[in-house]
Amino acid sequence: MEANKLSVLSLNCWGLYLVSRKRKFRLEAIAEAIRQLSCDIVTLQEIWVYQDFNHLKNHVSTELPYAKYFYSGALGSGLAILSKYPITYSSYFRYTLAGRPLKVFHGDYYVGKGCASVCLEHPLVGVIQVFTTHLHAGYGKSDEYRGHRITESWELANILRSAAAQGRQIIATGDFNSTPTSYNYRLLKEHAFMTDSWLETHLDSQQQNWQQTENEDLDDFIQRFGITCNSSSNTWSKHFNPQPHKRKATGDRLDYIFYRRTPQMICTDSFVTMTKLIPGSTVSYSDHFGVQSNFILNGDDDFSKHNGYMNNHYKTISTTSNASMLPPSTRYPSISTSLSHPTYTALDLTTVQELILLLQKDQLTMQRMAHRLLRTFISLVVIVLALYVAIVIVPYRVSVNQFLSHNGDGHHHDMLIVWLLPLLLGIPLIICSVLAIVCLIVGFVFGYGEHQAMHQFVIDLQTLLHGLQLRNKDSTISSSSPTTPSQLVETL
C-alpha cells in the first residue's frame, strides 16, 4: 500500500466458544483472507477465544506486525485491532449499560461490552486513533435493549468528540447493531460529527428503492446497499436459501467504518467484502460480511485548497436547522475548537427530546423490574421461613411428644416423619434460598444500579437540551439586537 493511502477492514468474526459452528475452520480461513486483502488496519469483533486471535495474529504478522487484544467482563470483550503501523497507546472503555445478568443466554452482560481504541503513528498524518466496538444486540421483536444501545452510542459519541478535539485523525469501526435510520447512527453522525465512509461513496444508493432491479445479481444488491448481515446469500443467516435462484434481496447494514473527514484524510472507496464462500467449502466466513474502506492521506494542511475540499463537518452543520443557532464563537472555527464546546451539535431539539422520552420510558421499565425482583425476594424469604419451620420445628415437636407420651403406638410412624421431612423439604429450601439471594442482588444491586445509571443519562441529555435552548435563545436575541447606533436609538 502506498504511503498516502490507507485501507481499513472491519469484520464480526462470530467466534463464540462452543456456540459458533465451525469456529476454528472459519477463523483460519478469515486469517488467510485478511492476509490476502493486504489492509493497513484490521478491526475484529466477536473473536472470543484468545487462541483464535493468537493464531490469526501470527498468520498475518508480516503484513500487520502490531496487534492488540482487549480484555473485559467475565468472558472477554471479543475485540481486537491489528495494524501495519506502530501502536503507541491502547485503552478500553466499558459501557455503563450493556445487558442484564439474568439474561444468561443473551450473554452481553458477561462480556463487558465497550469500546477499544489504539493510537497509531502514521508517517504522513501523525496520530491516527482507531476505535472498534460491538454494541448490544437486539433480541426479539420488542428489542428490550434499545435504550442500552442509545446510551452506549451516547458514550461513544462523546469519546469520539474528545479524541477529535485533540486534533487526531479518527476512525471508528465495528458492529453497531443499528441501521442507518436509528438514533445510534444519528448520534455518531450528528453529535460526534463522524462520516459514514460507505455512505459517502454510495450517496446514490440512498435515493433508490430497497429492492433488486431487473436482472440484478444478488452480490450487486449487497454492494449497492452495503448489506453486512442477514443476507440470504450468507450460509449462517436465517434467511439463507441453498438454491441461488430462490434467494431474496434482504439483509441489514449493521457494520460501519466511520471516520473524521479532514483535509488530511478522505475516503475514496468503501465496499462490502468477504461475501463469497470460503474457498473449497460450502460455508461463509462469518454470519456477517466485512466492510472495507480506502482512504487517501496527505500531511499538507493546504491539501484542501488543491482539491476543492470542503470539510464534511461544516457541510453537515450548514445543512441542518441548527446551523444558524450555533454561537458565533463556535460557528466556523476549527473542528477541534468546535467540539470542545458542549452545545456544538447537529442534533436538533426534537431529537434530543425524543431521546430523553425514550430513555425515561426505559427507566420506568427498569424500576418495575427491580421492584418485581424485590417482591419476589420477599416472597421467597417467607417461603424459606415456612420451610425452615416445617423442617426444624415439626420434627422437634414430634420427638418431644413421643418422649412425653411413653406410648409405643405410632412410634415408627412418627419417626418416619422426623427422618423424611428434612429430605423432602430440604431441596426446595436450598433452591428458594439461592433464588432469594439472586433476586436480592440482581433486584437491588444491579436493578437499582441500572435504574440510577439510566437516570443519569436522562439528566445528561436534559442538560444538553437546556444548553441548546439557551444557545438558541441567545442566538435569537443576538440576531434581533440593533447593530448600529441609529438602530439602537430607534429601539429605545
Side-chain angles (χ1 to χ4, degrees), residues 26 37 43 125 139 151 154 156 159 170 182 244 261 275 278 288 301 305 334 352 368 373 403 431 434 463 471 483:
R26 291 187 299 99
L37 286 173
T43 64
V125 296
Y139 297 93
T151 62
W154 169 255
L156 177 57
I159 291 171
I170 307 296
S182 66
R261 194 175 195 271
T275 59
I278 297 174
H288 284 241
D301 290 337
K305 299 178 182 178
S334 68
V352 177
R368 286 195 293 267
L373 285 169
F403 176 77
I431 293 174
V434 171
T463 303
R471 187 190 70 186
T483 56

Side-chain angles (χ1 to χ4, degrees), residues 297-343:
L297 307 177
N298 196 293
D300 183 5
D301 290 337
D302 293 329
F303 181 53
S304 58
K305 299 178 182 178
H306 305 312
N307 292 271
Y309 170 84
M310 183 178 190
N311 190 304
N312 188 64
H313 171 69
Y314 301 140
K315 188 176 181 180
T316 302
I317 285 293
S318 64
T319 57
T320 65
S321 59
N322 268 358
S324 61
M325 296 301 181
L326 292 174
S329 60
T330 60
R331 195 175 300 167
Y332 300 112
S334 68
I335 186 172
S336 298
T337 305
S338 303
L339 291 176
S340 65
H341 196 285
T343 60

Side-chain angles (χ1 to χ4, degrees), residues 51-63 82:
Q51 287 76 7
D52 292 339
F53 166 76
N54 200 41
H55 169 77
L56 189 150
K57 178 185 70 173
N58 293 334
H59 193 78
V60 301
S61 59
T62 302
E63 295 79 12
L82 302 95

Side-chain angles (χ1 to χ4, degrees), residues 404-479:
L404 295 176
S405 65
H406 299 289
N407 187 349
D409 296 339
H411 172 73
H412 295 294
H413 175 71
D414 291 340
M415 290 307 297
L416 187 64
I417 294 177
V418 172
W419 285 102
L420 286 182
L421 201 60
L423 293 176
L424 293 175
L425 301 183
I427 294 177
L429 175 63
I430 294 172
I431 293 174
C432 289
S433 299
V434 171
L435 289 177
I437 294 172
V438 170
C439 288
L440 176 63
I441 294 174
V442 176
F444 180 71
V445 179
F446 173 79
Y448 280 100
E450 182 187 38
H451 174 266
Q452 295 279 35
M454 183 61 80
H455 184 55
Q456 184 59 50
F457 283 115
V458 170
I459 291 175
D460 293 343
L461 284 168
Q462 288 174 335
T463 303
L464 174 63
L465 179 64
H466 180 64
L468 293 177
Q469 291 170 336
L470 288 177
R471 187 190 70 186
N472 293 354
K473 180 180 179 181
D474 291 342
S475 298
T476 303
I477 294 174
S478 177
S479 62

Side-chain angles (χ1 to χ4, degrees), residues 110-256:
Y110 298 97
V111 300
K113 292 276 187 179
C115 175
S117 74
V118 299
C119 284
L120 311 178
E121 284 293 337
H122 192 277
L124 199 59
V125 296
V127 177
I128 300 177
Q129 189 160 5
V130 181
F131 296 84
T132 192
T133 190
H134 185 191
L135 299 188
H136 203 298
Y139 297 93
K141 295 181 179 180
S142 62
D143 193 6
E144 61 181 290
Y145 299 108
R146 186 183 182 188
H148 280 216
R149 278 198 306 281
I150 288 176
T151 62
E152 291 167 3
S153 299
W154 169 255
E155 288 181 306
L156 177 57
N158 286 319
I159 291 171
L160 295 174
R161 284 173 64 100
S162 178
Q166 298 179 57
R168 297 171 178 173
Q169 306 301 322
I170 307 296
I171 297 173
T173 74
D175 175 4
F176 290 83
N177 276 313
S178 309
T179 63
T181 58
S182 66
Y183 285 115
N184 316 309
Y185 181 88
R186 292 185 59 188
L187 280 168
L188 295 173
K189 288 202 66 178
E190 298 176 21
H191 191 62
F193 296 106
M194 300 299 288
T195 298
D196 178 352
S197 61
W198 185 89
L199 179 62
E200 186 178 29
T201 57
H202 297 79
L203 286 172
D204 56 334
S205 68
Q206 300 301 107
Q207 312 301 325
Q208 301 175 24
N209 294 326
W210 183 265
Q211 60 184 11
Q212 276 182 288
T213 58
E214 189 175 357
N215 300 322
E216 182 182 27
D217 183 78
L218 190 57
D219 287 339
D220 293 335
F221 174 82
I222 290 171
Q223 295 298 336
R224 188 157 62 96
F225 292 104
I227 304 300
T228 62
C229 188
N230 297 324
S231 170
S232 61
S233 65
N234 189 307
T235 62
W236 306 113
S237 168
K238 61 183 178 181
H239 303 292
F240 175 69
N241 193 317
Q243 302 181 41
H245 65 281
K246 291 186 177 181
R247 293 174 185 170
K248 297 181 180 180
T250 186
D252 299 294
R253 187 160 80 95
L254 304 180
D255 303 80
Y256 304 86

